[in-house]
Amino acid sequence: MISRIHDRCRVYLGRTHGRTIYILKFSSVVTVIIMHYYRSYIVAALSLLTIAWTIGNVSLSIIATRPIAVATRAYTYLGSDYPEFYIPKNGTLPLTMMTVEESRHYAITGPDALEEWASSSPVGYGYLRLGSEHRAFDVAMFHETHCLHALRFYLGEYTVKLAPHFQHCLNYLRQFILCSPNLTLEPPDVLTRDFETDRVGATHVCLNWEIMYAEMAENWENWVAVRDQSFPQ
């Protein structure tokens, strides 16, 4: 061991009086000793660092595709003085998992179709009241669910008169799919899969939508209290 360390870490200085003179680099000696005795631990540590780095990059790529609202200052919500995104109480929505599943609910037609589709709408019809003047803002997420409701209705009740709204909703959803692309890999079996027996699809990483529904409900209750006090019937 000592001879190997000496061979790998010595530095040639020259010859004097017929002798070859070397010195040992202390830092190199320490490095070689550590690598010799702790090589397996170092490899394991590097492997763990690699795994952690990979997971971190995946998490960052997930988060980077979704808007993160940060309150950099106070807003009046008057005119153009409002943030680009709604700012949840905790600053942003945490991540959650969702496995896509087939469902007997949310039918296009039927006695329960209207009520079940309406259940995906929040309290307050998708509007928030913000600022001292309680200005109304639509939240894009619930604009999308509104368009889903409209498309379901139009599939059964389509008329030429409804065509402009129908086209708006189709184009609106198309643009939001492009705006936030989901890169989850799914098997290309949509034409051969038996959806009656094989009813579970891919698992996706999402933002926790339940928190948003709760905040919409709380905001609506606060607005109703102000509205009833300001405009008593």
Side-chain angles (χ1 to χ4, degrees):
M1 172 64 186
I2 298 301
S3 62
R4 289 201 300 271
I5 293 177
H6 186 273
D7 291 340
R8 294 175 61 181
C9 302
R10 61 185 182 176
V11 178
Y12 174 72
L13 293 183
R15 292 178 62 85
T16 179
H17 302 291
R19 291 185 174 183
T20 302
I21 299 176
Y22 298 92
I23 64 172
L24 294 178
K25 295 189 294 182
F26 178 76
S27 60
S28 298
V29 173
V30 173
T31 300
V32 172
I33 293 174
I34 291 174
M35 287 299 295
H36 178 77
Y37 287 106
Y38 299 100
R39 180 176 301 172
S40 60
Y41 297 103
I42 293 173
V43 171
L46 290 175
S47 299
L48 289 175
L49 286 174
T50 302
I51 294 172
W53 179 84
T54 303
I55 294 174
N57 274 311
V58 171
S59 300
L60 288 174
S61 66
I62 292 171
I63 296 172
T65 62
R66 293 165 169 80
I68 298 177
V70 178
T72 56
R73 62 178 180 83
Y75 294 90
T76 64
Y77 294 95
L78 300 175
S80 59
D81 185 32
Y82 58 89
E84 183 178 1
F85 305 108
Y86 170 70
I87 304 173
K89 291 182 177 180
N90 292 328
T92 188
L93 299 178
L95 298 179
T96 189
M97 308 295 288
M98 180 184 71
T99 299
V100 177
E101 298 177 322
E102 301 302 317
S103 175
R104 297 188 183 278
H105 299 280
Y106 298 98
I108 297 175
T109 59
D112 299 325
L114 179 61
E115 182 178 353
E116 288 183 341
W117 279 99
S119 69
S120 61
S121 295
V123 177
Y125 310 101
Y127 289 93
L128 285 169
R129 297 283 179 161
L130 301 173
S132 60
E133 299 295 324
H134 306 286
R135 181 180 177 183
F137 287 87
D138 192 6
V139 179
M141 167 187 176
F142 299 113
H143 189 167
E144 295 173 47
T145 58
H146 158 78
C147 276
L148 285 178
H149 304 165
L151 293 177
R152 186 221 48 100
F153 175 78
Y154 295 153
L155 287 173
E157 304 288 341
Y158 181 80
T159 64
V160 175
K161 183 179 180 180
L162 299 174
H165 193 199
F166 189 89
Q167 181 182 2
H168 157 76
C169 280
L170 280 176
N171 194 44
Y172 188 79
L173 294 176
R174 177 188 69 84
Q175 291 176 89
F176 266 87
I177 292 171
L178 296 176
C179 178
S180 184
N182 189 323
L183 306 183
T184 303
L185 296 178
E186 299 178 333
D189 58 357
V190 65
L191 297 180
T192 59
R193 179 177 166 191
D194 184 354
F195 290 96
E196 291 299 320
T197 58
D198 189 4
R199 304 180 65 80
V200 178
T203 298
H204 300 256
V205 180
C206 313
L207 295 178
N208 192 326
W209 59 89
E210 292 182 348
I211 295 177
M212 194 61 208
Y213 276 91
E215 295 200 13
M216 294 289 290
E218 181 180 355
N219 181 272
W220 175 255
E221 291 176 1
N222 294 337
W223 159 243
V224 168
V226 172
R227 181 195 64 187
D228 292 346
Q229 184 177 5
S230 302
F231 308 98
Q233 296 182 353

